[in-house]
Amino acid sequence: MFDLPEDIKEIQGLARDFARNEILPGAAARDHSHSFPAEQVAKLAEMGFLGMFVPEQYGGAGLSTLAYVVALEEICYADASVGVTMSVNNSLACWPILAFGTEAQKQKYLPDLATGRKLGCYALTEPDAGSDAGAQRTKATPLPGGGWSLTGNKIWITNAPYAQVAVAYANLAPEERHRGVCAFIAESHWPGYKVGKPEDKLGITSSATSELIFEDMHVPAENLLGGERQGFKIAMATLDGGRIGIAAQALGIAQRAFDLAVAHAKSRIAFGKPIGANQAIQWMIADMATRIESARLLTWRAAVYKDGDDKARASHMCSMAKLAASETANFCADRALQIHGGYGFSKEYEVERLFRDARITTLYEGTSEIQRIVIARAYLG
Ligand code: CAA
């Protein structure tokens, strides 16, 4: 597959028009004021972009992973903060409920999440369980009458300040590491569910990130997601899909950085000619374009695998896509800033925001080093 099918091109066009007309104009102001893009997220919900692969019977758009990554790249071209809000709701909240939920859980939670009536988050990371996700300390204690009590702290939870539904992980037996982990669907209004301090971040400043604190939070038996002790596999399978979303986010940032760099290289005059006439600038543009095209092809291919039957291959393809696209985003944002010279260092120029926003893409949903572990294990065992 070397080009997009017509129906996906239509979704791309829809996402592109919306992103460039309605998201891009306010992106810099939201970045400066750190304000959550509530209006833009509400419009994404109306467009069906918050539950893109949720089947129509549960209120979603019933589209493919390829449609999702193509649309998400366009949204992130305009504003990666809006994009990550969309990505977490789709990949990390809707998807595990769709893939592992009971029929009752799907009917109860998916229609609200897919239509934006509620926002979802994914509570995995803890102060001592980041890259080592199996080291979950949040404790799940069975209650005498059924259900569990959850106690523990989650950190860097994207969407947490606005989310009403959390896919949350806790451990029945922390000494057994990942083998004791369970996944639960939690609701923000439950006693013991507390949103903690918001993070003051380097980039994606208008996305909302905070701690989540569970203090003797009672979870009814019917809110266990998947089987008991199946939580780690659910977390990992969910992250396969999340990682391809971050690949799409990174591509959006990279493409925007590239477009701004080309425009500047053509219009900025130095020594009596556009700076793009210099070979030093030409090589930067050539390297950026080549890396973007490569990462995009890999991302599209991983998306097709994600919807196919070879789940093992899909897993490391998603990691490859994230690794390639996130490193590309950082490369392109850095070169775009360099091409802008001193202007690129100013907050008045968009490349400054792209440079900061790109930085998260090699960190969250697994660092580049973790992606390399996943990829290497696919070949070496
Ligand atoms: N799908 C299903 N099962 C999987 C799997 C996958 N993709 N990957 C691993 N598993 C299974 C394994 O088969 C194994 O099963 P058994 O116990 O039956 O043998 C089990 O899970 C444990 O696997 P590993 O031995 O590979 O586990 P590990 O402790 O060595 O960790 C890791 C592997 C890849 C390093 C993992 O810990 C990891 O991905 N770490 C990074 C965590 C991460 O990405 N966090 C992101 C937080 S969310 C976020 O960032 C959201 C946001 O802000 C936007």
Side-chain angles (χ1 to χ4, degrees):
M1 193 223 21
F2 298 101
D3 201 5
L4 294 172
E6 283 310 312
D7 57 328
I8 309 268
K9 280 188 187 161
E10 266 178 45
I11 290 159
Q12 184 181 42
L14 187 71
R16 183 170 295 176
D17 290 346
F18 175 67
R20 295 185 190 192
N21 296 329
E22 299 197 40
I23 298 181
L24 190 54
R30 288 191 300 275
D31 172 54
H32 291 155
S33 60
H34 296 203
S35 28
F36 186 71
E39 203 183 303
Q40 290 71 20
V41 172
K43 286 187 182 161
L44 286 176
E46 280 170 30
M47 293 166 71
F49 280 15
L50 290 193
M52 287 192 76
F53 28 65
V54 173
E56 288 174 19
Q57 70 187 100
Y58 303 115
L63 294 165
S64 63
T65 303
L66 184 60
Y68 167 60
V69 297
V70 165
L72 189 54
E73 179 186 333
E74 295 299 330
I75 302 302
C76 294
Y77 180 94
D79 186 347
S81 290
V82 177
V84 74
T85 311
M86 167 179 158
S87 177
V88 166
N89 199 71
N90 275 281
S91 295
L92 303 188
C94 290
W95 190 84
I97 298 175
L98 185 62
F100 300 101
T102 61
E103 188 52 37
Q105 288 171 341
K106 290 181 203 178
Q107 286 184 13
K108 181 168 180 189
Y109 292 106
L110 287 178
D112 283 345
L113 288 171
T115 56
R117 284 193 293 272
K118 290 184 178 166
L119 194 64
C121 68
Y122 179 82
L124 178 72
T125 304
E126 299 181 0
D128 293 313
S131 288
D132 185 6
Q136 296 284 306
R137 296 273 185 281
T138 294
K139 186 80 177 69
T141 309
L143 292 168
W148 292 267
S149 160
L150 265 54
T151 296
N153 280 22
K154 300 289 177 179
I155 55 168
W156 301 319
I157 308 304
T158 306
N159 288 356
Y162 294 89
Q164 293 89 354
V165 176
V167 173
Y169 295 86
N171 208 334
L172 280 174
E175 66 285 0
E176 293 179 46
R177 287 184 44 90
H178 73 270
R179 292 206 166 79
V181 176
C182 304
F184 300 94
I185 308 173
E187 299 183 27
S188 62
H189 63 88
W190 289 351
Y193 182 117
K194 292 186 185 152
V195 177
K197 129 181 124 52
E199 294 297 339
D200 190 8
K201 308 188 296 280
L202 171 74
I204 54 165
T205 58
S206 68
S207 70
T209 316
S210 73
E211 284 180 302
L212 270 187
I213 301 140
F214 304 138
E215 280 177 1
D216 187 21
M217 177 179 72
H218 286 203
V219 180
E222 65 267 22
N223 277 49
L224 175 71
L225 182 62
E228 238 184 60
R229 295 175 177 263
Q230 293 303 305
F232 193 74
K233 288 182 187 185
I234 294 173
M236 291 297 108
T238 301
L239 282 170
D240 289 342
R243 286 167 182 165
I244 198 171
I246 302 307
Q249 180 191 42
L251 281 173
I253 297 169
Q255 185 66 53
R256 181 67 181 155
F258 177 76
D259 289 353
L260 291 170
V262 169
H264 195 76
K266 285 178 169 173
S267 62
R268 174 72 175 161
I269 306 293
F271 304 103
K273 59 186 181 189
I275 59 171
N278 298 305
Q279 202 174 53
I281 304 293
Q282 290 165 4
W283 283 24
M284 287 193 227
I285 296 291
D287 288 346
M288 290 162 83
T290 305
R291 288 203 188 194
I292 292 171
E293 287 295 337
S294 314
R296 186 177 288 123
L297 277 176
L298 192 50
T299 302
W300 289 359
R301 191 165 157 77
V304 173
Y305 269 99
K306 179 80 178 60
D307 287 342
D309 295 329
D310 189 347
K311 297 297 172 210
R313 184 160 178 134
S315 172
H316 75 266
M317 291 284 292
C318 290
S319 282
M320 282 181 174
K322 185 191 183 270
L323 176 63
S326 62
E327 301 282 341
T328 296
N330 280 279
F331 176 83
C332 291
D334 178 77
R335 293 301 183 276
L337 196 152
Q338 189 68 18
I339 288 171
H340 278 72
Y343 293 108
F345 200 61
S346 160
K347 285 192 182 291
E348 284 182 29
Y349 281 74
E350 201 180 328
V351 289
E352 185 270 344
R353 171 168 60 84
L354 298 172
F355 183 78
R356 287 183 290 106
D357 285 356
R359 199 62 193 82
I360 187 62
T361 63
T362 63
L363 302 173
Y364 61 14
E365 303 208 22
T367 59
S368 289
E369 292 69 30
I370 291 293
Q371 307 313 322
R372 287 184 173 95
I373 288 176
V374 173
I375 297 161
R377 282 183 182 176
Y379 294 97
L380 297 170

Short mmCIF file of all heavy atoms in Angstrom, two decimals, residues 236 239-240 243-244 247 298-299 302 311-327 365-381:
data_model
loop_
_atom_site.label_atom_id
_atom_site.label_comp_id
_atom_site.label_asym_id
_atom_site.label_seq_id
_atom_site.Cartn_x
_atom_site.Cartn_y
_atom_site.Cartn_z
N MET A 236 -0.36 -3.46 28.03
CA MET A 236 0.61 -3.53 26.93
C MET A 236 -0.10 -3.52 25.57
O MET A 236 0.33 -2.83 24.64
CB MET A 236 1.47 -4.79 27.05
CG MET A 236 2.43 -4.79 28.21
SD MET A 236 3.67 -3.48 28.10
CE MET A 236 3.13 -2.37 29.38
N LEU A 239 -1.23 -0.11 24.85
CA LEU A 239 -0.14 0.81 24.47
C LEU A 239 0.32 0.58 23.04
O LEU A 239 0.80 1.52 22.39
CB LEU A 239 1.03 0.68 25.45
CG LEU A 239 0.80 1.40 26.78
CD1 LEU A 239 1.87 1.03 27.79
CD2 LEU A 239 0.76 2.92 26.59
N ASP A 240 0.18 -0.63 22.51
CA ASP A 240 0.50 -0.83 21.09
C ASP A 240 -0.28 0.19 20.25
O ASP A 240 0.27 0.86 19.37
CB ASP A 240 0.13 -2.25 20.63
CG ASP A 240 1.05 -3.31 21.21
OD1 ASP A 240 2.15 -2.97 21.69
OD2 ASP A 240 0.65 -4.49 21.20
N ARG A 243 0.72 3.86 20.98
CA ARG A 243 2.02 4.27 20.39
C ARG A 243 1.86 4.70 18.94
O ARG A 243 2.54 5.62 18.48
CB ARG A 243 3.02 3.12 20.55
CG ARG A 243 3.47 3.01 21.98
CD ARG A 243 4.20 1.75 22.33
NE ARG A 243 4.51 1.77 23.76
CZ ARG A 243 4.89 0.73 24.48
NH1 ARG A 243 5.03 -0.45 23.90
NH2 ARG A 243 5.13 0.85 25.76
N ILE A 244 0.98 4.05 18.24
CA ILE A 244 0.80 4.48 16.84
C ILE A 244 0.09 5.84 16.80
O ILE A 244 0.33 6.65 15.90
CB ILE A 244 0.07 3.39 16.01
CG1 ILE A 244 0.31 3.67 14.55
CG2 ILE A 244 -1.38 3.29 16.30
CD1 ILE A 244 -0.16 2.57 13.66
N ALA A 247 2.84 8.21 17.20
CA ALA A 247 3.55 8.32 15.92
C ALA A 247 2.83 9.34 15.03
O ALA A 247 3.47 10.20 14.42
CB ALA A 247 3.60 6.96 15.23
N LEU A 298 5.90 4.08 7.41
CA LEU A 298 5.98 3.09 8.48
C LEU A 298 4.72 3.16 9.36
O LEU A 298 4.16 2.13 9.77
CB LEU A 298 7.24 3.35 9.30
CG LEU A 298 7.72 2.32 10.31
CD1 LEU A 298 7.80 0.93 9.71
CD2 LEU A 298 9.09 2.74 10.84
N THR A 299 4.28 4.36 9.62
CA THR A 299 3.09 4.55 10.48
C THR A 299 1.85 4.00 9.79
O THR A 299 1.04 3.30 10.40
CB THR A 299 2.94 6.04 10.84
OG1 THR A 299 4.13 6.48 11.50
CG2 THR A 299 1.74 6.28 11.76
N ALA A 302 2.07 0.21 9.84
CA ALA A 302 1.77 -0.32 11.19
C ALA A 302 0.27 -0.25 11.46
O ALA A 302 -0.30 -1.15 12.08
CB ALA A 302 2.54 0.47 12.24
N LYS A 311 -1.07 -9.99 15.42
CA LYS A 311 -0.96 -9.03 16.53
C LYS A 311 0.48 -8.86 17.00
O LYS A 311 0.88 -7.78 17.43
CB LYS A 311 -1.84 -9.47 17.72
CG LYS A 311 -3.33 -9.52 17.40
CD LYS A 311 -3.88 -8.14 17.05
CE LYS A 311 -5.29 -8.21 16.55
NZ LYS A 311 -5.68 -7.17 15.59
N ALA A 312 1.26 -9.96 16.96
CA ALA A 312 2.65 -9.87 17.42
C ALA A 312 3.43 -8.91 16.53
O ALA A 312 4.17 -8.05 17.00
CB ALA A 312 3.29 -11.25 17.42
N ARG A 313 3.23 -9.06 15.23
CA ARG A 313 3.94 -8.16 14.31
C ARG A 313 3.43 -6.72 14.45
O ARG A 313 4.21 -5.77 14.42
CB ARG A 313 3.75 -8.64 12.87
CG ARG A 313 4.54 -7.79 11.93
CD ARG A 313 4.81 -8.41 10.60
NE ARG A 313 5.52 -7.42 9.82
CZ ARG A 313 6.59 -7.65 9.10
NH1 ARG A 313 7.06 -8.85 9.05
NH2 ARG A 313 7.18 -6.70 8.43
N ALA A 314 2.12 -6.59 14.63
CA ALA A 314 1.54 -5.25 14.80
C ALA A 314 2.18 -4.54 15.98
O ALA A 314 2.49 -3.35 15.92
CB ALA A 314 0.03 -5.35 14.99
N SER A 315 2.42 -5.28 17.07
CA SER A 315 2.97 -4.68 18.29
C SER A 315 4.33 -4.01 18.01
O SER A 315 4.52 -2.84 18.33
CB SER A 315 3.10 -5.77 19.35
OG SER A 315 3.78 -5.28 20.47
N HIS A 316 5.26 -4.75 17.41
CA HIS A 316 6.56 -4.11 17.23
C HIS A 316 6.56 -3.14 16.05
O HIS A 316 7.36 -2.20 16.02
CB HIS A 316 7.71 -5.12 17.18
CG HIS A 316 7.85 -5.90 15.94
ND1 HIS A 316 7.29 -7.13 15.76
CD2 HIS A 316 8.53 -5.63 14.79
CE1 HIS A 316 7.61 -7.58 14.56
NE2 HIS A 316 8.35 -6.69 13.96
N MET A 317 5.63 -3.31 15.11
CA MET A 317 5.50 -2.30 14.03
C MET A 317 5.04 -0.96 14.62
O MET A 317 5.48 0.11 14.19
CB MET A 317 4.48 -2.76 12.99
CG MET A 317 4.92 -3.94 12.15
SD MET A 317 6.13 -3.54 10.87
CE MET A 317 5.15 -2.53 9.78
N CYS A 318 4.11 -1.02 15.59
CA CYS A 318 3.65 0.22 16.24
C CYS A 318 4.81 0.88 16.99
O CYS A 318 4.95 2.11 16.96
CB CYS A 318 2.49 -0.06 17.20
SG CYS A 318 0.97 -0.51 16.34
N SER A 319 5.64 0.07 17.63
CA SER A 319 6.82 0.63 18.31
C SER A 319 7.80 1.24 17.30
O SER A 319 8.38 2.29 17.55
CB SER A 319 7.53 -0.46 19.13
OG SER A 319 6.83 -0.68 20.33
N MET A 320 7.98 0.56 16.17
CA MET A 320 8.87 1.11 15.12
C MET A 320 8.34 2.45 14.62
O MET A 320 9.10 3.40 14.43
CB MET A 320 8.94 0.16 13.94
CG MET A 320 9.82 -1.03 14.12
SD MET A 320 9.76 -1.99 12.58
CE MET A 320 10.98 -3.23 12.93
N ALA A 321 7.02 2.50 14.41
CA ALA A 321 6.41 3.74 13.91
C ALA A 321 6.63 4.87 14.92
O ALA A 321 7.02 5.99 14.57
CB ALA A 321 4.92 3.53 13.65
N LYS A 322 6.40 4.55 16.20
CA LYS A 322 6.57 5.60 17.23
C LYS A 322 8.03 6.04 17.31
O LYS A 322 8.33 7.23 17.39
CB LYS A 322 6.08 5.11 18.59
CG LYS A 322 6.16 6.26 19.61
CD LYS A 322 5.95 5.83 21.02
CE LYS A 322 5.96 7.03 21.94
NZ LYS A 322 7.28 7.38 22.47
N LEU A 323 8.93 5.07 17.31
CA LEU A 323 10.36 5.40 17.38
C LEU A 323 10.76 6.30 16.22
O LEU A 323 11.35 7.37 16.41
CB LEU A 323 11.18 4.10 17.37
CG LEU A 323 12.69 4.24 17.35
CD1 LEU A 323 13.21 4.94 18.59
CD2 LEU A 323 13.37 2.87 17.22
N ALA A 324 10.41 5.88 15.01
CA ALA A 324 10.83 6.64 13.83
C ALA A 324 10.17 8.03 13.79
O ALA A 324 10.84 9.04 13.54
CB ALA A 324 10.46 5.86 12.56
N ALA A 325 8.88 8.08 14.06
CA ALA A 325 8.17 9.35 13.93
C ALA A 325 8.55 10.33 15.04
O ALA A 325 8.68 11.54 14.81
CB ALA A 325 6.66 9.11 13.93
N SER A 326 8.76 9.82 16.25
CA SER A 326 9.08 10.74 17.35
C SER A 326 10.50 11.30 17.20
O SER A 326 10.74 12.48 17.45
CB SER A 326 8.90 10.05 18.71
OG SER A 326 9.78 8.95 18.83
N GLU A 327 11.42 10.45 16.75
CA GLU A 327 12.78 10.96 16.51
C GLU A 327 12.77 11.95 15.34
O GLU A 327 13.48 12.95 15.33
CB GLU A 327 13.75 9.80 16.23
CG GLU A 327 13.85 8.75 17.35
CD GLU A 327 14.70 9.16 18.55
OE1 GLU A 327 15.52 10.08 18.41
OE2 GLU A 327 14.55 8.55 19.63
N GLU A 365 4.17 7.17 26.51
CA GLU A 365 3.74 5.89 25.92
C GLU A 365 4.95 5.01 25.56
O GLU A 365 4.95 4.26 24.59
CB GLU A 365 2.78 6.12 24.75
CG GLU A 365 1.57 6.93 25.23
CD GLU A 365 0.30 6.71 24.49
OE1 GLU A 365 0.14 5.66 23.86
OE2 GLU A 365 -0.55 7.61 24.56
N GLY A 366 5.97 5.15 26.38
CA GLY A 366 7.20 4.38 26.20
C GLY A 366 8.26 5.23 25.54
O GLY A 366 8.06 5.75 24.43
N THR A 367 9.41 5.38 26.23
CA THR A 367 10.52 6.16 25.67
C THR A 367 11.05 5.48 24.39
O THR A 367 10.74 4.31 24.13
CB THR A 367 11.68 6.23 26.69
OG1 THR A 367 12.09 4.87 26.97
CG2 THR A 367 11.26 6.90 27.99
N SER A 368 11.90 6.19 23.69
CA SER A 368 12.54 5.57 22.50
C SER A 368 13.31 4.32 22.90
O SER A 368 13.37 3.34 22.14
CB SER A 368 13.49 6.56 21.82
OG SER A 368 12.75 7.58 21.19
N GLU A 369 13.87 4.35 24.11
CA GLU A 369 14.65 3.19 24.57
C GLU A 369 13.72 1.99 24.78
O GLU A 369 14.07 0.85 24.44
CB GLU A 369 15.40 3.54 25.86
CG GLU A 369 16.51 4.58 25.68
CD GLU A 369 16.01 5.99 25.35
OE1 GLU A 369 14.89 6.36 25.79
OE2 GLU A 369 16.72 6.72 24.64
N ILE A 370 12.54 2.23 25.34
CA ILE A 370 11.56 1.14 25.53
C ILE A 370 11.08 0.61 24.17
O ILE A 370 10.93 -0.60 23.98
CB ILE A 370 10.36 1.63 26.40
CG1 ILE A 370 10.83 1.88 27.83
CG2 ILE A 370 9.18 0.64 26.34
CD1 ILE A 370 11.24 0.63 28.61
N GLN A 371 10.88 1.52 23.21
CA GLN A 371 10.45 1.04 21.87
C GLN A 371 11.53 0.11 21.30
O GLN A 371 11.22 -0.91 20.68
CB GLN A 371 10.20 2.20 20.89
CG GLN A 371 9.26 3.30 21.37
CD GLN A 371 7.98 2.79 21.99
OE1 GLN A 371 7.39 1.80 21.53
NE2 GLN A 371 7.52 3.43 23.04
N ARG A 372 12.79 0.47 21.52
CA ARG A 372 13.87 -0.38 20.99
C ARG A 372 13.87 -1.74 21.68
O ARG A 372 14.18 -2.75 21.05
CB ARG A 372 15.23 0.32 21.16
CG ARG A 372 15.41 1.49 20.20
CD ARG A 372 16.81 2.10 20.32
NE ARG A 372 17.03 3.10 19.29
CZ ARG A 372 16.85 4.42 19.44
NH1 ARG A 372 16.42 4.91 20.60
NH2 ARG A 372 17.06 5.25 18.44
N ILE A 373 13.52 -1.78 22.96
CA ILE A 373 13.43 -3.07 23.66
C ILE A 373 12.34 -3.92 23.00
O ILE A 373 12.55 -5.10 22.70
CB ILE A 373 13.12 -2.85 25.16
CG1 ILE A 373 14.33 -2.28 25.88
CG2 ILE A 373 12.66 -4.17 25.83
CD1 ILE A 373 14.08 -1.94 27.36
N VAL A 374 11.17 -3.32 22.79
CA VAL A 374 10.05 -4.07 22.19
C VAL A 374 10.45 -4.58 20.80
O VAL A 374 10.21 -5.75 20.45
CB VAL A 374 8.78 -3.18 22.10
CG1 VAL A 374 7.66 -3.88 21.32
CG2 VAL A 374 8.29 -2.79 23.50
N ILE A 375 11.10 -3.74 20.02
CA ILE A 375 11.48 -4.13 18.65
C ILE A 375 12.54 -5.23 18.69
O ILE A 375 12.42 -6.26 18.01
CB ILE A 375 12.00 -2.89 17.86
CG1 ILE A 375 10.89 -1.84 17.72
CG2 ILE A 375 12.51 -3.32 16.47
CD1 ILE A 375 11.40 -0.44 17.37
N ALA A 376 13.57 -5.03 19.50
CA ALA A 376 14.66 -6.02 19.56
C ALA A 376 14.16 -7.38 20.01
O ALA A 376 14.55 -8.42 19.47
CB ALA A 376 15.77 -5.52 20.47
N ARG A 377 13.22 -7.38 21.00
CA ARG A 377 12.70 -8.66 21.50
C ARG A 377 11.93 -9.41 20.41
O ARG A 377 11.89 -10.64 20.42
CB ARG A 377 11.77 -8.42 22.69
CG ARG A 377 12.54 -8.15 23.98
CD ARG A 377 11.56 -7.98 25.13
NE ARG A 377 12.24 -7.67 26.36
CZ ARG A 377 11.61 -7.41 27.51
NH1 ARG A 377 10.29 -7.42 27.55
NH2 ARG A 377 12.29 -7.13 28.60
N ALA A 378 11.35 -8.68 19.48
CA ALA A 378 10.60 -9.34 18.39
C ALA A 378 11.54 -10.15 17.51
O ALA A 378 11.13 -11.13 16.88
CB ALA A 378 9.86 -8.30 17.56
N TYR A 379 12.81 -9.73 17.46
CA TYR A 379 13.77 -10.43 16.60
C TYR A 379 14.66 -11.40 17.38
O TYR A 379 15.02 -12.45 16.88
CB TYR A 379 14.66 -9.41 15.86
CG TYR A 379 13.83 -8.60 14.88
CD1 TYR A 379 13.33 -7.35 15.24
CD2 TYR A 379 13.49 -9.12 13.64
CE1 TYR A 379 12.52 -6.62 14.36
CE2 TYR A 379 12.69 -8.41 12.76
CZ TYR A 379 12.21 -7.16 13.13
OH TYR A 379 11.41 -6.46 12.26
N LEU A 380 15.00 -11.00 18.62
CA LEU A 380 15.95 -11.80 19.39
C LEU A 380 15.28 -12.72 20.39
O LEU A 380 15.90 -13.62 20.93
CB LEU A 380 16.92 -10.87 20.15
CG LEU A 380 17.80 -10.00 19.26
CD1 LEU A 380 18.53 -8.96 20.09
CD2 LEU A 380 18.82 -10.86 18.49
N GLY A 381 13.99 -12.45 20.69
CA GLY A 381 13.25 -13.25 21.68
C GLY A 381 13.47 -12.76 23.09
O GLY A 381 14.20 -11.84 23.35
#
